[in-house]
Amino acid sequence: MQQQLQAVWEQLRIDLCGVQDTAALVQIRVAYLGKKGKVTELLKGLQAVPAEQKKTIGQLINDLKRRAEESIAQTQERLAAEELERKVLSAEKYDVSLPSTEKKGSYHPITLVQRELEDIFHSMGFTVEDFPEIVDDFACFEALNIPKHHPARDMQDTYYLSNGQLLKTHTSAAQNSIMRKYGAPLRAIFPGRCFRNESTDASHENTFFQMEGMMIDKDISISNLIYFMKTMLSEVFQRDVSVRLRPGFFPFVEPGFELDVNCQICGGTGCPSCKHSGWLELCPCGMIHPNVLRYGGIDPDEYTGFAFGLGLTRLAMMKYGVSDIRDFNSGDLASLAQFTAK
Ligand code: PHE
């Protein structure tokens, strides 16, 4: 009799393991605990058991009945939980277990241009420096030969913070601390995000990226500046480019220039992108002002250097033919996903 009880119990466990829905569970319940169920039949069979064993066997059968009820109730809970999970997943309309058919993520075009430039400058012996976006007035202006009330401050509409600090308006804000960190001789580039309180249109953004570079050593001259700029741009555009310098005013360089590159869209013959001039304005630069070297702890009688502030965003527009600067910050994945590393 006891073996029979054990066999019923084991069979019930097997049946419950395989059950997938409530209807099947109802059938199992009937098959074991219903009027003609296996456990009920056992109880009925108790009549035939000799009187002295009745009590023990009766207890065993009742115990089996209790365990059967408990197991069926637990299975009912499992089925309910599975049902709920199925409902949630079908409401989300995707199957998390399926492999993705979507395109993988891609790098932002500005990141691509930045990394490419980092590689190029790295191969020319420049280190790549990181710099915070929040700086103080000294770093952004004073140390760059732009004292308080200097008209040049009006060229950069600055976002000031309530604690007197500000969002850096140009990557030149890192010049002083990098000079102090390394001294001379020095070759460094420092890419970063810059902020200016400007109204936006197709060619203006209040948030944009620049890549600053500095080279300081004995006898550095304008020809070094031209050489490095030409080499860098030829690498970026994968062809020989022509550059020209026009005078430009920045208090932290003397002399200061605007560096133009021959239009990469029409090749210099003239098109709407270069306003039919054949040249695109790309990079302000110049020879570092002696005062700026002095603020950085470098003796201007011994060392000279050049600095440039390449517009990374502008370069990315040129390289990828993006006509509206606002596309870069739009977060529109469909348009950003077009760009892939070379
Ligand atoms: N910091 C200047 C700007 O953003 C650009 C610049 C950098 C000019 C380095 C000269 C030298 O306007």
Side-chain angles (χ1 to χ4, degrees):
M1 186 70 176
Q2 284 185 8
Q3 275 173 2
Q4 214 182 329
L5 291 183
Q6 187 60 22
V8 170
W9 171 243
E10 275 165 15
Q11 188 56 49
L12 173 65
R13 304 283 303 164
I14 293 167
D15 291 350
L16 288 179
C17 275
V19 72
Q20 296 293 347
D21 55 60
T22 327
L25 186 64
V26 170
Q27 278 178 14
I28 292 175
R29 166 173 266 283
V30 172
Y32 285 83
L33 301 171
K35 270 189 192 147
K36 290 185 180 156
K38 291 179 185 167
V39 180
T40 321
E41 292 296 330
L42 284 172
L43 276 167
K44 283 183 196 160
L46 205 54
Q47 290 161 354
V49 171
E52 66 278 11
Q53 288 179 18
K54 253 198 184 118
K55 197 175 166 209
T56 335
I57 303 283
Q59 272 174 357
L60 286 175
I61 300 175
N62 276 320
D63 185 49
L64 172 66
K65 191 178 171 193
R66 185 185 50 75
R67 283 187 286 144
E69 272 165 356
E70 264 173 28
S71 297
I72 290 172
Q74 277 167 10
T75 310
Q76 175 65 51
E77 278 171 29
R78 167 173 71 80
L79 290 179
E82 284 174 3
E83 176 73 4
L84 184 68
E85 199 179 321
R86 268 199 296 277
K87 270 198 190 136
V88 170
L89 286 180
S90 70
E92 283 175 354
K93 292 200 173 47
Y94 58 74
D95 179 349
V96 290
S97 63
L98 282 177
S100 167
T101 53
E102 292 293 312
K103 264 182 80 178
K104 297 222 177 82
S106 57
Y107 284 111
H108 194 282
I110 293 178
T111 308
L112 292 175
V113 174
Q114 178 180 326
R115 290 197 176 175
E116 201 178 328
L117 287 172
E118 284 175 3
D119 284 347
I120 295 168
F121 277 104
H122 205 237
S123 72
M124 299 194 286
F126 284 69
T127 60
V128 183
E129 299 294 319
D130 205 12
F131 195 68
E133 289 173 350
I134 295 176
V135 297
D136 57 20
D137 189 272
F138 178 80
C140 204
F141 300 121
E142 298 270 337
L144 292 168
N145 208 24
I146 315 177
K148 290 218 162 43
H149 312 299
H150 191 288
R153 288 199 181 205
D154 298 341
M155 284 159 55
Q156 307 191 352
D157 296 309
T158 311
Y159 286 112
Y160 285 94
L161 307 180
S162 53
N163 66 1
Q165 289 187 298
L166 48 102
L167 299 182
K168 73 171 186 265
T169 56
H170 54 175
T171 40
S172 306
Q175 282 195 11
N176 185 267
S177 68
I178 291 172
M179 279 188 233
R180 293 206 162 269
K181 185 169 167 196
Y182 294 108
L186 165 69
R187 290 182 193 198
I189 52 165
F190 26 111
R193 192 156 58 148
C194 305
F195 308 86
R196 289 186 198 177
N197 191 359
E198 292 196 15
S199 35
T200 60
D201 61 30
S203 50
H204 293 90
E205 249 295 8
N206 52 20
T207 306
F208 54 93
F209 287 79
Q210 289 186 338
M211 178 174 284
E212 189 97 354
M214 272 193 307
M215 179 172 180
I216 301 171
D217 208 331
K218 290 186 173 151
D219 302 324
I220 295 293
S221 68
I222 297 172
S223 31
N224 295 104
L225 168 64
I226 296 176
Y227 169 79
F228 276 95
M229 291 290 109
K230 246 188 108 154
T231 310
M232 178 270 289
L233 291 170
S234 305
E235 288 271 342
V236 170
F237 291 109
Q238 294 288 299
R239 63 177 92 118
D240 233 10
V241 299
S242 318
V243 296
R244 72 172 187 190
L245 292 180
R246 287 178 292 118
F249 172 71
F250 304 93
F252 36 96
V253 282
E254 180 55 42
F257 307 103
E258 292 286 355
L259 182 135
D260 299 340
V261 59
N262 63 322
C263 180
Q264 294 302 301
I265 295 155
C266 63
T269 51
C271 70
S273 294
C274 59
K275 299 194 186 98
H276 301 284
S277 71
W279 295 95
L280 290 166
E281 189 179 318
L282 189 67
C283 179
C285 53
M287 300 305 294
I288 303 175
H289 196 287
N291 285 351
V292 175
L293 288 173
R294 227 172 264 126
Y295 280 130
I298 294 172
D299 181 359
D301 293 329
E302 202 179 343
Y303 290 101
T304 49
F306 66 76
F308 59 87
L310 188 67
L312 266 191
T313 305
R314 173 168 279 221
L315 190 61
M317 286 173 83
M318 228 181 260
K319 182 161 172 161
Y320 293 113
V322 176
S323 55
D324 193 326
I325 194 172
R326 292 167 295 190
D327 285 351
F328 288 129
N329 290 348
S330 69
D332 176 2
L333 294 182
S335 68
L336 293 175
Q338 303 166 52
F339 309 102
T340 46
K342 65 166 187 181

